[in-house]
Every structure is written in structure tokens, then in C-alpha cells.
Amino acid sequence: MITENQEYLAELRDWADRYQDWDSLQDQTIMVAGATGMIGSTLIDWLLLLNQEKQLNCKVIALGRNKQKARARFASYWEQAGFTFVEGDINQGINCDQDVDYVLQAASNTHPLAYSKFPISTITTNVIGTNNLLDYAAKHKAKRVIFLSSVEVYGENRGDTDKFKEDYLGYLDCNTLRAGYPESKRTGESLCQAYLKEKGLDCVILRLSRAFGPTLLATDSKALSQFLKKGIAKEDIVLKSTGTQQYSYIYSLDAAAAVLFALKHGESGQAYNVAGAKCDTSLRGLAETIAKLAGSQVVFELPDQEEAAGYSTATKALLDTEKFQQLGFKADTDLEQALAATMRILAARS
């Protein structure tokens, strides 16, 4: 169980020691949608660890579709007074009627096979589910909503910039299956702006780069996730392209830290890029780093049609994080160190 993995707990404690600004969470109630996902579960683990070690006395309301899955994931604190799991699909509404201080919208399909197999729920979770959460937050007078958006809202780099700043708009062909994810994330951001204007709801948008970490789900089909699985198994890393694509990445613990930081320091209505300061690399460079850690090699293989349908067509998607750094936050975990820690912790879970 990951919540009993000492290296994972040490990683959480390390960020807790570096970021001391916990007073805004004291005695607060925090709703986390997408509770068993990579970022959502990290946030919940962290908050409950802080309850224990920093006496925060915060309450976590975890939203998810599968109680059995959640109970297995959060067994360490299922019976704790500070933790409540609420089962249900946010597209159908929020099965809860309790005042909350903060709402974290981390529920979304986030990998290629999910985009191609479940394109409807990919869109509806980012739009209808987000609308339901925003409506809940407004009715229950939440202090702030954090919407986890994506680097993919920028579309394709038109070759006129090295890194995406928050005001950049690239090309995106909306009349494709693959467009469902970035277009619905764009609409989710627009809903945040609408609720801010019409309901006075405080919303902050975080545009995350490609994330990885020890809470990675076994079903995740992103290229990075597949590289990690192969690396843990000491198998050759399969690259399904030439690997020249350039992307920004972020360690999941850094992403969770960014969410908690934005709860206090983000400016309402603003969108912020979030990426690792030391995590820009090519897809091939990423594969080679994992292969080096695993003692294996990189091999090339074309994807099948269904898998390829879910892949991003972006060839350069690097994020400029200066705007968020100016608030005082910097995700500076070294890429190779983060990959090595991820592989060790995931290997211990298997």
C-alpha cells in the first residue's frame, strides 16, 4: 500500500518542510474531485499526513465513482474523522450537501486510450462535471475553486514561440475525436470565468504539463507511463515515434504542491502554467533516461490504430512558468531523480 511506503511518505514530508504556508488550510474543509486519480490521490495523502504531523485539523471530502476502489486506495485512513468518501459520478451531480471551503477539480480522463475509448465522458467530465462542481461551490459559498486544466489547451505550436505563455493560442482542429480533451478543458476554463462573473465565485486555473509520479494508475496509457512500466519490468523502452517531440513534464508531488500553493496565493480568474523547472525534454530523451535507470534499451514500434487515435499531434509543447514563479512557487525536482523515485515506489507496490 502506497500510504505505507516510507519513500513516498518521505517525498511528501520533504515538500511539507519546504513549503511552510499551511495556515490557510487550518480547520478547513476541502473537496477533492477525482479522488483516486494521480493528482487527486496525492493531494489527499498529503492533506491527511499534514493533519497528523502538522495538526491542521482539515477535513477532506473525496469524490469518486467507485467506493470499492477508493476503500482499497485509502484504507489507511478510511475510518478517520477527517476523511469522507462520497461515491458518485460528478456528471450526474454531487451526492453531498455539506459546506466546503475549497473545491479541487482534478477529475478527468487524462490518457490516450481513455480519450479514444470514452470520448463522451472525456468531454462531459470536463464540462458538465466541472459545471456541477462550480455550482456546488457557489451554492455552498466556497472560498476558492482550483480547476486543473492542461497544456493541451494551447493546441499545436505554430512555430512562433519557444514556450507557451498563458496568452498563447495555437492551432487546434476541433473536428476530430482527439480534440475532445483539449476543447473540453478550454470550456471548463470558460465556465470558471462565467461563474466568477455571474456568481462571484473565486476560481484559479492551473494548466499542468504532462504529469508522472508514484500515484500513477495502472490503466494510464500515456507514452511516459508506458516507458515507466517497461523500465520497472527491466524491459526495453518502446518508442512509438522518432521521439523528437519536446514536452514539459512535472512530478506529481510538485503538481500537488502547486495546487495547495495556489489555494492561497493564486489570483482569482487567472490561469497559471505549472511545469517542472528541470523537466523539459524530448520524448526520446525521456525514454533514454528511463532506459538508463532500468539498464535496458530504447526500441521503436508504431502504435496500432486505436491507440494512435488518442495521441496528441503536438510536436513541441513547452510551458513558460514565469507567471506562477512570480507568486513564489517553483517546481524544481530534477527529472532523473523524480523518475528514479517513481520507479522505486511503483516497483514496491507491484
Side-chain angles (χ1 to χ4, degrees):
M1 187 180 301
I2 191 169
T3 51
E4 296 176 356
N5 184 289
Q6 293 305 308
E7 182 170 6
Y8 176 61
L9 294 175
E11 294 275 283
L12 292 173
R13 290 188 182 102
D14 178 62
W15 252 115
D17 291 340
R18 292 161 62 190
Y19 174 55
Q20 297 289 330
D21 200 6
W22 303 116
D23 59 303
S24 61
L25 301 176
Q26 189 76 41
D27 303 317
Q28 303 298 288
T29 299
I30 303 163
M31 176 175 281
V32 182
T36 58
M38 179 164 54
I39 306 300
S41 62
T42 303
L43 283 162
I44 291 169
D45 290 338
W46 207 347
L47 289 167
L48 293 172
L49 181 68
L50 288 167
N51 266 359
Q52 178 183 339
E53 300 190 353
K54 305 289 186 181
Q55 291 76 52
L56 284 186
N57 191 41
C58 67
K59 294 179 175 59
V60 174
I61 301 174
L63 305 185
R65 291 177 295 181
N66 189 319
K67 185 175 182 179
Q68 184 178 3
K69 178 181 176 182
R71 191 179 188 107
R73 174 61 179 81
F74 302 122
S76 296
Y77 30 77
W78 190 261
E79 303 295 337
Q80 288 185 16
F83 178 81
T84 301
F85 180 76
V86 177
E87 186 176 29
D89 184 345
I90 61 172
N91 293 327
Q92 305 301 319
I94 313 303
N95 296 329
C96 185
D97 188 19
Q98 182 176 336
D99 287 345
V100 295
D101 296 294
Y102 299 110
V103 174
L104 312 181
Q105 165 48 326
S108 181
N109 287 337
T110 58
H111 61 97
L113 280 180
Y115 304 151
S116 61
K117 285 187 173 183
F118 310 108
I120 296 174
S121 65
T122 294
I123 295 170
T124 56
T125 301
N126 290 332
V127 180
I128 297 173
T130 296
N131 181 70
N132 288 337
L133 284 166
L134 291 168
D135 184 62
Y136 185 96
K139 288 178 178 177
H140 289 79
K141 302 186 181 344
K143 297 175 182 177
R144 170 158 287 183
V145 174
I146 303 291
F147 177 64
L148 296 191
S149 188
S150 167
V151 58
E152 295 209 24
V153 300
Y154 293 111
E156 295 183 28
N157 191 318
R158 294 170 296 185
D160 55 354
T161 187
D162 182 45
K163 292 189 175 185
F164 296 145
K165 292 187 176 182
E166 285 80 359
D167 60 355
Y168 185 84
L169 292 173
Y171 171 76
L172 185 61
D173 183 356
C174 63
N175 193 30
T176 63
L177 175 71
R178 183 58 178 80
Y181 179 69
E183 289 284 20
S184 58
K185 282 294 190 184
R186 285 182 171 183
T187 303
E189 291 193 13
S190 296
L191 277 168
C192 290
Q193 298 296 340
Y195 271 85
L196 191 159
K197 174 66 175 179
E198 191 170 332
K199 304 286 189 180
L201 184 63
D202 185 309
C203 300
V204 175
I205 297 159
L206 298 183
R207 294 172 179 163
L208 297 183
S209 57
R210 288 161 172 81
F212 68 94
T215 51
L216 179 73
L217 300 180
T219 55
D220 197 303
S221 64
K222 291 193 292 290
L224 169 55
S225 305
Q226 295 183 56
F227 295 170
L228 287 167
K229 292 170 189 175
K230 291 287 188 181
I232 291 166
K234 306 296 183 184
E235 297 175 1
D236 288 341
I237 309 302
V238 180
L239 191 57
K240 299 188 176 183
S241 68
T242 58
T244 57
Q245 304 97 314
Q246 293 178 292
Y247 299 135
S248 292
Y249 294 90
I250 188 164
Y251 191 35
S252 59
L253 276 76
D254 286 2
V259 173
L260 297 183
F261 182 87
L263 280 178
K264 181 168 185 178
H265 298 286
E267 181 181 343
S268 183
Q270 292 298 306
Y272 299 96
N273 289 337
V274 180
K278 302 176 182 177
C279 293
D280 288 352
T281 186
S282 68
L283 199 60
R284 181 167 185 161
L286 184 71
E288 289 173 343
T289 300
I290 295 173
K292 182 180 77 170
L293 291 168
S296 59
Q297 296 180 331
V298 176
V299 297
F300 297 85
E301 177 184 305
L302 292 179
D304 60 37
Q305 187 174 2
E306 182 179 51
E307 188 176 4
Y311 282 177
S312 170
T313 58
T315 57
K316 188 175 185 180
L318 302 174
L319 288 180
D320 184 318
T321 60
E322 178 63 26
K323 183 178 177 181
F324 200 48
Q325 287 186 46
Q326 287 179 352
L327 296 181
F329 183 90
K330 186 175 183 180
D332 57 0
T333 305
D334 177 77
L335 177 62
E336 185 169 336
Q337 291 177 355
L339 289 169
T342 296
M343 291 169 67
R344 287 193 300 269
I345 296 169
L346 286 174
R349 288 171 56 191
S350 59

